[in-house]
Amino acid sequence: DGIFVPGGFGDRGFDGKARAAGLAREWKKPYLGVCLGMQVALVQFARDTLELPDATSEEIDPKKGSKNHVIMYMPEISKETMGANMRLG
């Protein structure tokens, strides 16, 4: 048994995916996060383990409300266009 969290775009479902990543760690279950799934695992780790409750991604927080962006935009992509910018984690 394990938890698989697939990719996605934008903030839809971000917090739920992050919660799934946190539960996998808490319950000691295998976790496979692909693209955004891996990013939410990192965000949740920063929130829980590093005690950065406002940790997030630049993509999710474009108005820069958080001081703790643990995922940044890749410099070579457009911030206005979703898609065609997938990364592995």
Side-chain angles (χ1 to χ4, degrees), residues 75-87:
E76 63 274 10
I77 67 158
S78 167
K79 293 180 182 179
E80 286 80 36
T81 305
M82 271 194 212
N85 57 11
M86 308 253 313
R87 59 176 152 186

Side-chain angles (χ1 to χ4, degrees), residues 3-6 13-25 29-50 55-57 70-71 88-89:
I3 297 175
F4 170 70
V5 176
F14 186 87
D15 288 328
K17 290 176 182 186
R19 181 72 181 129
L23 289 173
R25 193 177 62 259
K29 294 288 184 183
Y31 178 87
L32 175 62
V34 176
C35 297
L36 185 61
M38 187 61 194
Q39 293 176 38
V40 297
L42 177 62
V43 167
Q44 193 64 34
F45 181 84
R47 289 176 180 174
D48 292 344
T49 306
L50 302 179
T56 192
S57 163
V70 294
I71 304 290
L88 295 178

Side-chain angles (χ1 to χ4, degrees), residues 6 14 22-23 26-27 30-31 34 52 54 60-61:
F14 186 87
L23 289 173
E26 182 181 321
W27 296 342
Y31 178 87
V34 176
L52 299 171
D54 68 333
I60 305 305
D61 182 32

